[in-house]
Amino acid sequence: MITSVLCAFATGRMQELSDAVLSGAADAIQLVISMAGMMCLWTGLMKIADSGGITAMLARVFSPVLKHLFPAYAPESPAMKAVCMNITANLLGLGNAATPMGIAAMKEMAKKTPTPGVADNSMVMFVVINTASIQLLPTMTGILRARYGSPSPFDVVPAVWVTSLVALLFGVTMAKLLQRRGGSRYG
Amino acid sequence: MDKIGVYLVPCIIALILLFGFFRKVPLFDTFLDGAKEGLRSTVSIAPALVGLITAVTMLKASGALDLFTAAVRPLAQALGLPPEVVPLTLLRPVSGSGSMALLNGIFADCGPDSFAGRVAAVMMGSTETTFYAIAVYFGAVGIKKTRHTIPAALSADLVSFLTSALAVRLFFRM
C-alpha cells in the first residue's frame, strides 16, 4: 500500500489512487457476496457426498498407490488410514475436513518417527503432496471466472488436471530423489 | 474440449445427489449443514479480502503493478508466461487470499477467457498455499527441521506455473 502511495506520487496518479481505495474495498465485499451462494451450494453438496461414505470408498481405491509412497507404514496402520482420508478430502476439495485429518496423520507419523523434531521421509512426502493442489474441481477459480462473465467457467478444468498431475509427479519425484541425501536414518 | 467443462458441473451435482440418495443420506438436512459451513468460511475470509483487494487495486491504480509487469516482461516471455501472471506466481505459495485478490484483478483487467486469464486460472487451480501447508502440518507436531520439504514443494510449484501456460496453449490453441 505504501509502495502504491509513493508510486502514485511519482507518476501523478493520486486521483486514480484515491478512487481505487474506495472501489477496492467495495469490490471485496461484492466479491464475497457473489461467491457466497456458489460456495454454500458446493460445500452443501460435498457434505452429502461425505455423509454417504465417499471419502472411505475413495480411500480404499488409493491405498495401492499410497503403499509405494509411504513404505514405512502398513496399509492398515492408523497413520496410513489418516493419510488416505486426508488425500481423499483434498481431492474432493473438502478443505475444512482435509486439514484436521492431515494433522491427525502427522501426529500418527510423529509417534512412530525414528527422528523426533526432524521430518522423516514419510512426513516430507505427505506435506509435499499437501502443498500440491489435487482438488478435482477448482470451485473458487470457477466462481471467480463466472463472475467476470466467462461463458463456461469450468472449461479450464482439463488443463488444471494435466498441470496438477505433472506438478504432483514432479514434487513426489523430487521428494524421493532428495531423501537419499539423508541416508537411511530418516525411515 | 469445451464440452467437458459445460457438462462437468451439472453431472457432478446429479451424481452426488444420486449417490446420497442410494446411501440413504438425509439429503436436505445434510446439504444445509454443509452450506452453513460454506457460508461461515466465505464470510471469514471477507476482512482479509477487503484489505488485500484494496491493496491490489491501489497497486494497479498507482501504476506500480504496471511497472513491475513491464520489468519482468522479458523474463516472462522467455518462460512462455503472460507477464500479467508473474505477480501471481510470486504471491501464490505465500498467501491464499492475497493470490485470490490478484486473480480477481487479472480477470477484471484481461478478462477470464483471455490467455492471461486462463493461465492464471490454471495456476490457481493447480497449486496450493505451499508455505501455509508446511507451517500448519509441521507446526502441529513440533517439527523444526523440514529437510527437503521446501525445495521439493517449491520446485513442484514452479513446474506447475510453467506447465499452466503450456496446458492452456495446448487445450485452447491460444
Side-chain angles (χ1 to χ4, degrees), chain A residues 14 23 40 63 79 87 167 172-173 180:
Chain A
M14 244 345 149
S23 69
C40 285
S63 70
I87 289 177
V172 167
T173 314
R180 294 201 186 140

Side-chain angles (χ1 to χ4, degrees), chain B residues 89-111:
Chain B
T89 65
L90 298 178
L91 200 59
R92 182 68 185 119
V94 189
S95 159
S97 21
S99 40
M100 269 273 288
L102 277 178
L103 187 68
N104 186 52
I106 294 172
F107 287 165
D109 286 353
C110 313

